[in-house]
Amino acid sequence: MSGRRDSNDREPRGRTEPTLGRLDDLDKPASPVDDGLPHIVVDAPRRRTAPPPASPRGPRKRGWLIPVLVLVLIAAVTGLWLQQDRLRNMVPATELNDTLAQANHALDEGRLDGTNGDSARELFEKARDQQPDSDQARDGLRRVGQAEVARADAALTAGNLDQAEAALNVARELLGGGADVERLSQRLSQARNPEARTETLIDQAQQALAAGRLDGDDGAGALYRRVLDADKTNAVAARGLDKVGDALAAQARQAIAANDKEKANAIVDRIAILVPRYGDLPSLRAALAETKKQDGQAVATLIQQGNEALRAGRFVGDGDDNALSRFQAALAADPDNAEAKAGVGRVAQALIVQANAAIDSEDDDQATRLLDRAAKLAPKSAELAAARARIAGGDRHPAATSDAGATGGDDAIPEASMAVSPEQKAKVADLVRRAQAAAARGDIMDPPGDSAYDLYRNALAIDGNDPAARAGLQGLPTQVEKQMQQAVANGNVQRAENLYGTLSDLAPGDATQGEARHRLGSAWIDNALQRAAQGDRQGAFQALDRARRYAPDDPRLQSAYERIATGH
């Protein structure tokens, strides 16, 4: 403070107030004071010049962004499309996974092959049918084949030749041959036919021939055949087989003369297996073909008469002037005749139609009699089961139990299914769901109780009017036919044959089964040629026997016999 007193200060006590001095002199530099020290000049801080303001512009254009996004989207869609099979395989398939798990468990337990549906081979084949492009199913079948190779090796080491041969046959079917299979086949042949035993086998064969034992494991034919399989140049065995062929040919001609075609066919087929180059084999087959032609004309006449009786409404009766008797007579002459079997199925269908009409007329007794008769002809018919459910479920107006019901009032219950409780309806829905899943798995008739057929019938036993259960039961033949076609396409001819039998049971008399039957016969011919190529000649002839049962008129059948018999 300056200590001066402002003249304007009127403070009575004489208080001195601070003053700023002259404001005009603030900008003037202060005079330097000479204090005797060196003078230091400090530059004034430089002020940063602000950048010029940016010129106003509109938003920057990004026209390149949209084409890039479109290209990225196209690339993503293309990638998904190319990987659709892989992505589809990533979706859980519960039923397929269950089947694969069961198959792997069976493989771990050593249940490699069988006919009960629980072996590793059957389960992996079932998984392959469910998803034909399943790598796990194909790899599983390969592992089963390798396990059969190991089993054959162990059986050979232990001296169990029959077990080794059975395992080798399965391994050959699954693996298509291979070095290990061929090596074990040679070992098996050597084990069965050691050089030291050749003379013994020939002696046994000559004794069997003298005793008239031509066929069988200890027959002359099999013994001579074993020698030739080990030594194709053995002249004694070759002459012995010719003698066996002569004796069997004489038996075949006797069977033909006695009109025993089944026996004659079996003998001729046996000759083809034991003596494939037997000279009289073509003439024997020609004689069989001529006999079949003559019998075929008589059978065709019977089938025609049966169809005429069917159209005239003469389904059954006490005499022979009805459809059933004509078709049965045709089957007596030709047990495997497909047209005659279909005719019997059509008779069963006609009886079921009559039974349904009787149910509509509330004549349960007549309907039951007709269905009982149809059941003797087609016990597993889907239409038969549905008709029986109508009787059990009361598929018509129930008897009046009240005045309202007697007068037909609005309160009357028009259908018996309306009396089904909610709990029963829920049970029916569950059974139908399980039946549909079983049908998708291929469990049509087996296992008992859990098959689609049994589950649908159980549902109809609760509610005979349930539309889903009835439609599911009646739709089983169509599902079976599709599964059969898939099995044939996959080369699983044994499963295709089983499905054809199921189809015949479910829909007897269906005219469309003729084509399915022929496809099955053709598949067996393919199977026979495949087995022959793998060296399994006996299995090849057995496959041809199956083929002849389903497609006796297939032009490839005779040529396949000749190719397999001659090895060309």
Side-chain angles (χ1 to χ4, degrees):
M1 296 190 306
S2 64
R4 290 188 306 133
R5 178 178 176 87
D6 192 355
S7 59
N8 295 328
D9 188 2
R10 301 184 185 273
E11 177 66 37
R13 290 176 294 182
R15 178 181 175 184
T16 301
E17 293 292 335
T19 62
L20 294 177
R22 289 179 59 85
L23 297 178
D24 295 337
D25 296 335
L26 288 177
D27 292 334
K28 294 180 179 180
S31 298
V33 179
D34 188 5
D35 53 5
L37 297 176
H39 183 66
I40 298 174
V41 178
V42 180
D43 291 339
R46 297 180 181 179
R47 294 183 180 180
R48 186 175 298 174
T49 305
S55 61
R57 293 182 181 179
R60 298 180 62 185
K61 295 183 179 180
R62 293 181 173 85
W64 55 270
L65 184 58
I66 294 178
V68 169
L69 290 176
V70 171
L71 290 175
V72 171
L73 180 60
I74 292 175
V77 172
T78 303
L80 291 174
W81 184 82
L82 292 175
Q83 298 294 326
Q84 57 181 322
D85 292 336
R86 182 179 179 183
L87 293 174
R88 189 182 300 112
N89 291 334
M90 294 172 65
V91 178
T94 303
E95 295 178 5
L96 176 64
N97 291 338
D98 289 345
T99 304
L100 290 172
Q102 295 173 11
N104 286 313
H105 182 65
L107 181 59
D108 293 339
E109 290 187 345
R111 291 183 281 109
L112 305 181
D113 196 14
T115 58
N116 296 325
D118 60 350
S119 67
R121 177 184 180 179
E122 293 171 299
L123 290 168
F124 279 124
E125 288 177 343
K126 183 177 180 180
R128 184 184 61 187
D129 291 340
Q130 292 174 352
Q131 185 173 320
D133 58 350
S134 172
D135 293 335
Q136 297 181 59
R138 285 194 293 267
D139 179 68
L141 288 173
R142 180 186 60 79
R143 288 187 287 122
V144 172
Q146 292 173 342
E148 290 286 7
V149 170
R151 175 179 287 184
D153 194 357
L156 272 174
T157 303
N160 298 324
L161 304 186
D162 292 338
Q163 294 181 13
E165 183 175 11
L168 272 179
N169 288 337
V170 176
R172 188 177 290 110
E173 292 176 4
L174 295 177
L175 301 177
D180 291 336
V181 173
E182 296 306 321
R183 174 179 56 81
L184 291 175
S185 296
Q186 293 177 2
R187 281 183 55 192
L188 177 62
S189 179
Q190 293 172 0
R192 287 193 182 281
N193 305 285
E195 294 181 1
R197 293 187 57 197
T198 298
E199 294 183 2
T200 302
L201 287 173
I202 290 178
D203 290 340
Q204 292 175 351
Q206 291 173 340
Q207 294 174 7
L209 182 61
R213 297 196 313 272
L214 305 176
D215 205 358
D217 293 339
D218 60 347
L223 293 170
Y224 282 131
R225 185 76 262 166
R226 288 168 60 183
V227 174
L228 276 181
D229 287 341
D231 181 9
K232 298 184 183 301
T233 63
N234 193 296
V236 176
R239 288 195 299 270
L241 273 180
D242 285 337
K243 294 179 181 179
V244 171
D246 291 339
L248 289 175
Q251 293 181 3
R253 292 190 179 91
Q254 291 177 357
I256 293 173
N259 201 29
D260 190 348
K261 296 181 292 298
E262 184 176 356
K263 180 179 179 180
N265 277 316
I267 294 174
V268 171
D269 289 344
R270 193 59 182 163
I271 294 175
I273 295 174
L274 294 173
V275 200
R277 293 179 175 81
Y278 183 67
D280 281 350
L281 190 59
S283 63
L284 287 172
R285 292 204 180 279
L288 283 173
E290 182 61 27
T291 302
K292 180 180 179 181
K293 181 179 179 181
Q294 296 174 357
D295 293 341
Q297 293 174 350
V299 170
T301 300
L302 290 170
I303 293 174
Q304 181 180 358
Q305 294 172 351
N307 288 327
E308 291 173 353
L310 197 61
R311 287 191 293 268
R314 301 191 309 274
F315 308 136
V316 295
D318 295 332
D320 59 357
D321 188 20
N322 60 76
L324 180 60
S325 63
R326 296 289 87 189
F327 291 133
Q328 289 177 335
L331 286 174
D334 185 3
D336 288 330
N337 189 279
E339 292 185 42
K341 290 181 178 180
V344 173
R346 289 195 296 273
V347 171
Q349 287 180 327
L351 294 174
I352 295 171
V353 170
Q354 289 183 331
N356 280 318
I359 295 172
D360 292 337
S361 301
E362 301 186 14
D363 190 351
D364 284 357
D365 293 337
Q366 175 66 5
T368 300
R369 285 191 294 270
L370 290 167
L371 292 178
D372 287 345
R373 192 153 195 177
K376 294 179 181 179
L377 306 177
K380 296 182 180 180
S381 166
E383 296 290 345
L384 174 68
R388 287 200 186 278
R390 290 189 65 195
I391 297 177
D395 186 16
R396 55 183 173 273
H397 296 281
T401 57
S402 65
D403 292 339
T407 59
D410 294 339
D411 294 336
I413 300 176
E415 296 289 344
S417 63
M418 295 181 63
V420 178
S421 67
E423 292 78 8
Q424 290 175 315
K425 284 186 177 296
K427 178 64 174 177
V428 168
D430 179 65
L431 289 169
V432 169
R433 179 188 57 77
R434 291 170 54 195
Q436 291 170 343
R441 292 194 305 269
D443 296 337
I444 306 298
M445 306 297 285
D446 292 307
D450 288 326
S451 66
Y453 179 78
D454 288 340
L455 291 168
Y456 279 131
R457 288 201 309 164
N458 291 340
L460 289 172
I462 298 173
D463 183 1
N465 299 323
D466 186 80
R470 183 172 297 176
L473 181 62
Q474 294 172 328
L476 284 180
T478 301
Q479 290 183 273
V480 172
E481 186 173 7
K482 291 180 180 178
Q483 293 176 6
M484 177 187 167
Q485 292 175 359
Q486 186 64 52
V488 170
N490 293 340
N492 192 351
V493 65
Q494 183 61 62
R495 174 165 172 76
E497 184 179 64
N498 294 337
L499 288 169
Y500 176 78
T502 301
L503 180 61
S504 300
D505 289 339
L506 288 172
D510 189 347
T512 63
Q513 291 181 17
E515 183 179 352
R517 184 183 182 91
H518 188 271
R519 282 200 303 269
L520 178 58
S522 181
W524 273 118
I525 294 176
D526 294 337
N527 182 266
L529 296 175
Q530 182 181 5
R531 291 189 178 193
Q534 295 171 353
D536 184 10
R537 190 173 60 181
Q538 184 171 355
F541 280 115
Q542 291 173 351
L544 287 181
D545 288 341
R546 299 282 188 88
R548 187 176 59 197
R549 176 182 178 186
Y550 297 108
D553 299 326
D554 192 306
R556 295 197 303 150
L557 193 59
Q558 184 62 31
S559 62
Y561 269 110
E562 294 173 358
R563 286 178 57 185
I564 295 172
T566 59
H568 297 299

